[in-house]
Amino acid sequence: MISGYKISSETNDMDVSVIHGYISRSYWAENIPLRTMETAINNSLCFGVFTDSGNQVAFARMITDSATFAYLADVFVLKEHRGKGISKWIMKNIIDHPNLQGIRRMALATSDAHGLYEEFGFKALNSPESFMELHQPDVYK
C-alpha cells in the first residue's frame, strides 16, 4: 500500500488514453495504434496504479494463459510519480495475483530495469540458445 494511491487489475479501470499516450511514445512500441493497444489491454491481465482521485499513473500487463506461461509487457510509471515505490508495488501485486500462481515460466524483456525485476526473481535466460523470436520492429510505422 502506498499512501495516496490504489491499485487495480480490473480491465474496466484502465485509462486507455493514458496508457496509449505513454506506450505510443515508448522505445518498445512507438506509434502503436490505439485500436491495437485496446485489443492488447482487453486480452491481457492488466494492472494499473491510480491516484486517490482516479488518475492513472502506472501500468503493466501480463499476457498469459493463466496456467503455464506469462509474459510481462508495457510496464511504466509516469515520470512525476517515480521514486515512490510504485514499480515495486505493482510488481508485488503481479507476482502475488491469484491467476498467476503455479505458472511455470514468466518472461519479460527490458533494456534498463534489470535490477527491479531481479528483486522479484527474474534472471537472464538459462538457455538463450533455445529461445527464438519473430521480431517486426517497424510494424507500427
Side-chain angles (χ1 to χ4, degrees):
M1 181 68 114
I2 298 177
S3 181
Y5 296 93
K6 59 187 174 185
I7 195 163
S8 173
S9 59
E10 295 295 323
T11 303
N12 291 339
D13 291 342
M14 303 304 139
D15 186 334
V16 177
S17 64
V18 170
I19 297 164
H20 180 257
Y22 189 93
I23 301 297
S24 66
R25 291 188 302 274
S26 70
Y27 69 85
W28 66 88
E30 187 175 10
N31 298 318
I32 187 171
L34 175 61
R35 183 74 188 119
T36 301
M37 191 76 249
E38 290 171 335
T39 301
I41 290 167
N42 289 329
N43 290 305
S44 301
L45 176 58
C46 297
F47 297 81
V49 176
F50 304 84
T51 63
D52 282 341
S53 59
N55 297 319
Q56 185 154 10
V57 301
F59 178 76
R61 68 186 182 95
M62 290 296 275
I63 305 157
T64 183
D65 60 11
S66 298
T68 64
F69 183 79
Y71 182 85
L72 179 61
D74 296 335
V75 181
F76 72 84
V77 177
L78 295 179
K79 189 174 185 174
E80 56 271 24
H81 297 274
R82 293 179 188 163
K84 299 176 182 183
I86 291 173
S87 61
K88 290 180 183 178
W89 188 36
I90 204 168
M91 283 304 300
K92 177 156 180 32
N93 275 267
I94 289 168
I95 295 299
D96 292 346
H97 194 279
N99 291 5
L100 299 173
Q101 302 312 299
I103 299 285
R104 183 168 179 252
R105 179 171 311 206
M106 291 185 184
L108 62 85
T110 185
S111 66
D112 58 0
H114 296 79
L116 168 66
Y117 301 118
E118 286 169 352
E119 289 184 42
F120 293 90
F122 287 87
K123 301 180 227 172
L125 295 173
N126 282 332
S127 53
E129 67 280 358
S130 298
F131 285 80
M132 297 176 69
E133 70 176 344
L134 172 58
H135 187 222
Q136 300 176 69
D138 297 328
V139 72
Y140 304 134
K141 292 184 180 177

